[in-house]
């Protein structure tokens, strides 16, 4: 039987030499170390031992480098990140960066930072500067992300933001939507829905920007009622707003990011490391907890608008550490998919939907070999 391809639709990579350029990663952060292709492959190496699935490649998502909208000088951090991912895509590593020429085919798509709030003219200038800088590797750029989960209300509804999204739709670039309902509040989800409606208003279908939602909008997976059960009100509010967002065209969702939104798993949460409480029991308990969010996302958006993503290495936060976190999330979602999707829907979930979402416009996501 041929292997079932997995495209990991949400991976962050950064070298040790550029840790200081990350806006969020000080020395006390557990992710304050190199996370490159070597470390990613270490995290996924258990897959071939227990499954007929294999990772054919990933979509690189910008990693929140230090940046500014005040002037073009504020673009330098994200542009250096493009230099870095270009070296991976071209197979031209610097010493000690944790990747080699043999890893180049794994980079199937790139979603870099862009100055989206600054408007369409700034976007056009940025694309000119960035594409000139990375040359032929620009063919891998499929969309842009400007992280809004930590931005003030109104950011997504500003004239510049909407104008940029309209420009992206006309130009064939997707927008990765990163909001945080648990930490930021439900207003972010309401504002995101209004943003999509405004960005699509008055445009023909082929010009409407594709929206790819990161991590199911980070629902509040920690909230509990007085009996210790998932909080029904938090779930209902998230479900209602997700349903309204799903009514918009060209909206996809990544099934990812769960571990960082739940209570932390112990490091090394693998079979035999938890005493009589096995890894299988642990994952079943986690699935029982998140099942309602997973099922509701499937019901609301349908299987053709969902895609697999690991959110590596962020999944290591709360997921048990790099030795097990990627595999823990894959095991959990594999069981859910097997119980709730048919064969064709399953293959689309693991790879086809990511290819579709990130393939509009100029150049398509590079098909894995």
């Amino acid at each position: 039987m041929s292997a079932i391809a997995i495209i990991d639709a949400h991976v962050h990579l950064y070298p040790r030499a550029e840790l200081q350029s990350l806006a969020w990663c000080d020395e006390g952060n557990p992710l304050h170390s190199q996370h490159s292709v070597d470390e990613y492959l270490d995290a996924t190496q258990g897959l071939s031992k227990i499954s007929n699935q294999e990772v054919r490649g990933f979509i690189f998502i910008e990693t929140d480098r230090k940046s500014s909208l005040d002037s073009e000088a504020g673009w330098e951090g994200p542009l250096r990140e493009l230099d870095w991912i270009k070296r991976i895509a071209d197979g031209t590593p610097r010493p000690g960066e944790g990747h080699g020429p043999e890893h180049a085919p794994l980079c199937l798509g790139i979603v870099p930072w862009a100055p989206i709030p600054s408007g369409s003219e700034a976007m056009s200038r940025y694309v000119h500067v960035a594409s000139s800088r990375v040359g032929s590797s620009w063919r891998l750029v499929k969309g842009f992300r400007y992280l809004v989960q930590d931005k003030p209300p109104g950011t997504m509804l500003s004239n510049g933001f909407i104008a940029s999204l309209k420009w992206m739709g006309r130009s064939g670039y997707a927008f990765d939507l990163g909001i945080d309902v648990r930490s930021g509040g439900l207003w972010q989800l309401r504002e995101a829905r209004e943003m999509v409606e405004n960005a699509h208003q008055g445009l023909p279908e082929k010009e409407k920007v594709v929206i790819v939602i990161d991590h199911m909008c980070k629902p509040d997976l920690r909230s509990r009622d007085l009996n210790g059960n998932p909080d029904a009100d938090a779930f209902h509010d998230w479900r209602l707003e997700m349903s309204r967002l799903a009514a918009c065209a060209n909206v996809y969702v990544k099934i990812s990011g769960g571990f960082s939104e739940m209570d932390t798993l112990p490091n090394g949460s693998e079979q035999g490391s938890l005493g009589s409480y096995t890894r299988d029991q642990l994952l079943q308990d986690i699935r029982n907890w998140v099942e309602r969010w997973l099922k509701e996302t499937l019901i609301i958006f349908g299987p053709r608008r969902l895609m697999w993503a690991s959110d590596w290495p962020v999944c290591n936060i709360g997921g048990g550490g790099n030795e097990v976190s990627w595999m823990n999330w894959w095991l959990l979602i594999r069981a859910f998919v097997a119980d709730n999707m048919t064969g064709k829907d399953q293959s689309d979930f693991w790879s086809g939907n990511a290819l579709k979402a990130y393939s509009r416009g100029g150049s398509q996501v590079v098909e894995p070999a």
Side-chain angles (χ1 to χ4, degrees), residues 8-287:
D8 193 338
H10 201 101
V11 169
H12 304 291
L13 302 168
Y14 47 90
R16 182 181 299 105
E18 297 180 17
L19 287 170
Q20 75 284 352
S21 71
L22 300 173
W24 50 274
C25 193
D26 57 28
E27 291 186 4
N29 193 297
L31 298 180
H32 190 267
S33 60
Q34 178 160 290
H35 287 82
S36 186
V37 181
D38 282 347
E39 291 77 19
Y40 177 77
L41 294 178
D42 286 344
T44 66
Q45 64 179 341
L47 186 65
S48 62
K49 300 176 183 177
I50 61 174
S51 171
N52 68 332
Q53 291 186 276
E54 64 179 14
V55 178
R56 297 288 180 84
F58 53 76
I59 308 294
F60 170 84
I61 307 297
E62 66 90 20
T63 313
D64 198 16
R65 299 278 184 125
K66 294 174 184 176
S67 62
S68 172
L69 300 174
D70 294 337
S71 68
E72 293 186 12
W75 301 349
E76 184 57 29
L79 289 173
R80 284 189 65 199
E81 182 170 64
L82 272 171
D83 294 339
W84 148 249
I85 194 63
K86 168 183 167 61
R87 294 196 295 276
I88 293 177
D90 290 352
T92 55
R94 293 175 179 172
E97 283 193 330
H99 65 98
E102 71 276 13
H103 298 140
L106 292 174
C107 187
L108 302 179
I110 300 170
V111 178
W113 176 94
I116 294 175
S118 299
S120 57
E121 290 187 8
M123 285 292 295
S124 182
R125 290 200 308 276
Y126 174 78
V127 167
H128 174 74
V129 171
S131 61
S132 298
R133 187 157 172 162
V134 301
S136 62
S137 293
W138 190 258
R139 75 192 188 283
L140 295 172
V141 173
K142 306 303 171 186
F144 300 103
R145 188 171 82 152
Y146 179 85
L147 200 58
V148 290
Q149 64 184 26
D150 58 348
K151 303 303 186 292
T155 298
M156 290 180 271
L157 302 179
S158 68
N159 290 338
F161 210 100
I162 299 302
S164 290
L165 293 181
K166 289 179 179 289
W167 178 88
M168 288 165 62
R170 292 193 302 271
S171 303
Y173 296 111
F175 172 60
D176 256 60
L177 173 63
I179 63 174
D180 188 340
V181 170
R182 182 183 66 81
S183 298
L186 195 66
W187 68 265
Q188 293 190 3
L189 190 43
R190 296 189 180 110
E191 186 169 298
R193 186 252 308 163
E194 189 175 351
M195 174 202 75
V196 177
E197 291 174 345
N198 292 348
H200 287 177
Q201 187 176 19
L203 295 179
E205 196 68 23
K206 65 180 181 179
E207 293 185 10
K208 292 178 179 178
V209 63
V210 170
I211 307 293
V212 183
I213 296 173
D214 297 342
H215 321 319
M216 301 181 290
C217 293
K218 294 188 176 182
D220 190 353
L221 301 181
R222 300 183 192 181
S223 60
R224 289 171 166 81
D225 62 21
L226 295 177
N227 297 318
N229 298 314
D231 185 87
D233 290 337
F235 174 74
H236 170 78
D237 292 343
W238 168 85
R239 178 179 60 183
L240 177 62
E241 294 303 326
M242 288 289 277
S243 297
R244 291 170 173 167
L245 189 53
C248 301
N250 298 339
V251 178
Y252 295 80
V253 182
K254 294 177 184 177
I255 302 299
S256 56
F259 288 146
S260 60
E261 302 311 307
M262 294 186 290
D263 293 329
T264 301
L265 301 184
N267 280 336
S269 301
E270 55 193 346
Q271 191 79 27
S273 70
L274 303 171
S276 61
Y277 190 49
T278 68
R279 184 186 192 183
D280 289 343
Q281 291 171 323
L282 175 67
L283 292 176
Q284 185 58 53
D285 284 351
I286 296 170
R287 181 180 168 185

